Amino acid sequence: MTRNEVTVPETRQVSGVPEVLRPGVDGARVAGERGTRIPDSGDLDTGLDGAEFLRWGRVCVAALERARAEIDGLNVFPVPDSDTGRNLLATMRAALMEADAAADTVDAAAGPGGVTARRPLTDGAGGIAGETTSRGGRPVGRVHPYATAMARGATSGARGNSGIILSQVLRGIAESTADSGLTGEAYRDGLARAAALVRDSLSEPVEGTILTVLDRASAAARECPEGGLAAVARAAAEGAAQALEQTRDQLAVLRAAGVVDAGARGLLVLLDTMVAVVTGDVPARREYPPATHTPRVGHGQVAPEPVRYEVMYRVTGAEASRVAELRSRLARLGDSVVVAADGARGSAIHVHCAEAGAAVEAGMAAGAVRDIRIEYLADSAECCTSEPATVADDRDMPTNAARSGAVDRGVLAVAAGVGATGLFEAAGAVVLDAEPALESAALLAAIREMPHREVLVLPNGALPAHELVAVGVAARDAHRDVLLLPSASMVQGLAAMAVHDRARIAVDDAFAMSEAAAGTRWGALRRAGERALTMVGTCAPGDGLGLVGHDVVVIDRDTHAAGQTLLDRMLGLGGELVTLLVGAGAPEGLAADLAQHIGTEFPGVEVSVYSGGQRGDLIQIGVE
């Protein structure tokens, strides 16, 4: 890709990650040579309870964060776009976000009259509220609600085919905990279920990939003579490690590039973290060097056809026969087809194809489509002649000065909505919640809490200019430089994060980010709450309003029509990339309708659709 896509960004370090899971940048093993134990872990051979399962999820995020560059460097199949590590990380973060939300409260025993009481969860030594039994004084059970939430979050937030496969691994584990905690037997069953689910989701299973390694991990767990979770987890991880080594010789494209499968390497990270959390011992693994070149072959030594778009979305309410028909239609449109059920009459869809609109329309014929993501993929020939993955990802390969600590810069972004918050966090920013309303004192406090010497602030339209100037003046001191960037909306902020490069000096980085924000025209689709006079006439309650910047330019009783007209006016001035940030109140199918409209009326314009979750704006639109 020719730009840093927000969908596969850098992520900031998760606080509280054990040092043993933090490898160096000079060839240290991903699983760590600096230590052999995780503090406060181990002695969980009888199984994980809900709190411990959530902890496993957090350690997975931290471990993927550190292994991401290595995994990206291995990514040559099915498309050599160096994003498998970032996709796995983004998916796991979405999974953990959903699980943490589920952990805010939990059903306790039914009260008088059948009313269910709700009590806050705890994540400390006392376990989780609502646990019913204990083993050795330690609560057990209650894993299933959080495992299910984690699988659900991974399915809805999956990035790439590797992300969808990860969601099926989590779903398999979740289904195995329906009647117990995560015991050795449940983990064994969960891996077997995951292997079956993954194979079922792929239209064209290819051996020598994460598929094969997951199969071997499941088989090793099944063959383990001991029944405790520690022994089963170790057996699964070791089986996967051995199978990973063999992938290089099982798939021609991997052998030609001299690498193991990237997705399988990511799976091993997750299996190793289970060992680490259960036993306290961190498995030591070698670090795999990146591909020395990107081969010009597909998985059958035949040059693949050019691929233009990666299309992902969710389909809900579809009958099994319609899902099967959808899979067939997508297979005719393109390749890398993944159709993964979420266990609740929903499916996550992934395909690489030249006709993104046709792929979305196929989903709409099957059921209700939501969470559409359409991203441009470079043609296969373009990918094959590009530099190795390490060059494409050089913003995450800091210079020697950065490695030594000379670069000390952080980005603080103001965001509204859970989805938008996740996007900025995944792009490497610390996020300040803008809802319900942001005050200048809160922004000032957040800047002062940043541990960095240089702070770049993306206000994203949350405060008026005069308040921002006052905050900037108050925040600067002898120990901190603060630069407020001109982002008047979240879509402009996302454009700025897409070019953020911490290896540059602060002034150059701020200039590039400011230029990206300023080069993004932004608008919003809203619904009028009351009768009001605008520059284009009077609106009534419920009318669809299209705004360019802060000015109303479209009024239409039909919200869908208002959105289409707004896009026509914004794209009438030109544009190559449209970002749609979908709000919490957006009607079902609105984003799909607008994406299809762009594809029909403005062919060649790329579209990226994200779930923002913001209030107020039904859809926030950015045009670059």
Side-chain angles (χ1 to χ4, degrees), residues 94-95 98-99 102 144-154 174:
E98 187 77 14
H144 186 61
Y146 314 127
T148 300
M150 194 174 286
R152 183 172 61 246

Side-chain angles (χ1 to χ4, degrees), residues 527 582-591 617-619:
R527 185 176 286 115
V582 185
E588 191 75 25
L590 176 60
D617 292 341
L618 302 178
I619 301 253

Side-chain angles (χ1 to χ4, degrees), residues 78-93:
V79 176
D81 50 2
S82 305
D83 65 358
T84 295
R86 288 174 283 182
N87 286 346
L88 287 170
L89 175 57
T91 302
M92 194 66 205
R93 287 179 65 87

